[in-house]
């Protein structure tokens, strides 16, 4: 252990070993759009549309440009096998991906290398890695899986540069999400059984309180809704899932 690591304050554990094992067991299928992560592959373009608009609004980049994150550092906390990290790298960012499961980090690393992308993947507790100064910090569909939500949001805030941008998304704890995201989705095989525990979902008001406690100001959330005609899409309806920006106060 070097001196810099030794001087880091002790962080509260946020990884649930059962959750890490559950997602680590799926590592080999993350990149299969018809596999156990099929729903994430459908969700990713919607999230990326929101993220790109937020990047352009925050950093003043041209929406037509291909590399809006050129010269910037991006962190994806709870990165899985890199479904978000790789698009961020293609936008020009120097990307770090952190996941609780070593199997996911290994699968992400192998996929990035095969695609010629240099992405720094790490496994372990976010708060113990000493990551700071990131222009963009993302954590999507992760907070519902951690054991200490306040500590996790605090770790995300500590990694964010003072003038940086954070993106958070989470299923909302509503009756509709319980029926559609947990019971129906798992029964129909859209997500693996045991992926979601409805009681751990976070409401927009709760996320705002968590953000406030970590010195962050949460932006106006957008819903990620589903309809037979549009499929998954950004919406004013927050009942199923929502995504929001956050900035340091």
């Amino acid at each position: 252990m070097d001196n810099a690591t030794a001087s880091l304050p002790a962080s509260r554990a946020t990884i649930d070993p059962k959750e890490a094992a559950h997602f680590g067991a799926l590592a080999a299928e993350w990149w299969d759009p018809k596999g156990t992560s099929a729903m994430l592959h459908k969700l990713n373009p919607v999230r990326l549309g929101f993220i790109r608009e937020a990047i352009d609004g925050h950093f003043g980049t041209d929406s037509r440009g291909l590399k809006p994150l050129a010269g910037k550092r991006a962190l994806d906390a709870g990165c899985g096998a890199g479904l978000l990290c790789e698009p961020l790298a293609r936008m020009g960012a120097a990307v770090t991906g952190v996941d609780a499961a070593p199997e996911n980090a290994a699968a992400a690393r192998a996929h990035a290398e095969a695609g010629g992308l240099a992405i720094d993947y790490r496994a372990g507790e976010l708060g113990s890695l000493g990551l700071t100064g990131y222009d963009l910090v993302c954590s999507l569909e992760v907070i519902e899986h951690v054991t200490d939500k306040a500590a996790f949001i605090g770790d995300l805030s500590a990694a964010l540069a003072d003038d940086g941008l954070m993106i958070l998304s989470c299923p909302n704890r509503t009756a509709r999400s319980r029926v559609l995201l947990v019971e129906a989705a798992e029964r129909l095989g859209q997500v693996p059984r045991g992926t979601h525990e409805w009681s751990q979902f976070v409401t927009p008001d709760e996320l705002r309180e968590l953000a406030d406690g970590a010195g962050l100001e949460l932006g106006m959330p957008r819903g990620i809704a589903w309809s037979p005609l549009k499929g998954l899409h950004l919406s004013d309806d927050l009942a199923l899932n929502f995504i929001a920006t956050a900035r340091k106060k």
Side-chain angles (χ1 to χ4, degrees):
M1 181 183 295
D2 59 29
N3 290 334
T5 303
S7 64
L8 290 172
S11 61
R12 288 182 285 174
T14 65
I15 292 175
D16 182 334
K18 291 185 295 183
E19 294 278 357
H22 172 80
F23 288 105
L26 305 174
E29 296 187 44
W30 274 92
W31 283 97
D32 181 359
K34 296 182 179 179
T36 54
S37 295
M39 185 62 72
L40 280 178
H41 284 269
K42 295 174 183 175
L43 185 59
N44 219 30
V46 182
R47 303 189 306 192
L48 283 167
F50 178 93
I51 291 169
R52 179 59 199 261
E53 184 176 342
I55 287 169
D56 291 334
H58 185 81
F59 296 111
T61 45
D62 187 338
S63 62
R64 296 166 296 181
L66 298 179
K67 302 283 187 181
L69 293 175
K72 293 181 169 54
R73 301 169 67 228
L75 169 67
D76 184 21
C79 64
L83 265 64
L84 178 61
C85 288
E86 293 199 8
L88 294 179
R90 291 190 175 95
M91 289 187 210
V95 180
T96 302
V98 176
D99 199 80
E103 301 92 334
N104 284 341
R109 193 175 297 114
H111 194 274
E113 289 174 355
L117 295 172
I119 298 174
D120 178 14
Y121 284 111
R122 309 188 194 188
E125 284 282 356
L126 176 62
S128 69
L129 297 175
L131 302 175
T132 60
Y134 284 87
D135 303 289
L136 175 66
V137 171
C138 298
S139 192
L140 308 183
E141 317 304 311
V142 176
I143 190 172
E144 66 271 24
H145 300 293
V146 303
T147 59
D148 188 328
K149 294 174 172 52
F152 183 68
I153 296 293
D155 292 339
L156 293 175
S157 181
L160 185 67
D162 288 344
D163 58 351
L165 172 68
M166 188 181 295
I167 309 285
L168 301 168
S169 72
C170 181
N172 195 355
R173 196 175 65 255
T174 63
R176 204 190 314 174
S177 73
R178 185 170 197 163
V179 171
L180 293 178
L181 294 184
V182 181
E183 296 172 6
E186 293 192 9
R187 190 181 305 121
L188 295 173
Q190 293 298 303
V191 296
R193 285 196 177 275
T195 294
H196 291 129
E197 185 174 339
W198 180 80
S199 64
Q200 294 302 311
F201 289 3
V202 175
T203 69
D205 286 344
E206 289 168 348
L207 186 59
R208 192 173 300 280
E209 289 181 10
L210 288 164
D212 185 65
L216 298 166
E217 182 177 353
L218 197 72
M220 184 65 68
R222 293 293 313 280
I224 299 177
W226 182 87
S227 73
L229 290 178
K230 294 183 178 180
L232 290 168
H233 61 282
L234 291 174
S235 166
D236 292 331
D237 183 355
L238 309 182
L240 286 183
N241 195 299
F242 61 96
I243 187 167
T245 62
R247 297 168 175 81
K248 286 194 174 180
K249 295 180 181 178

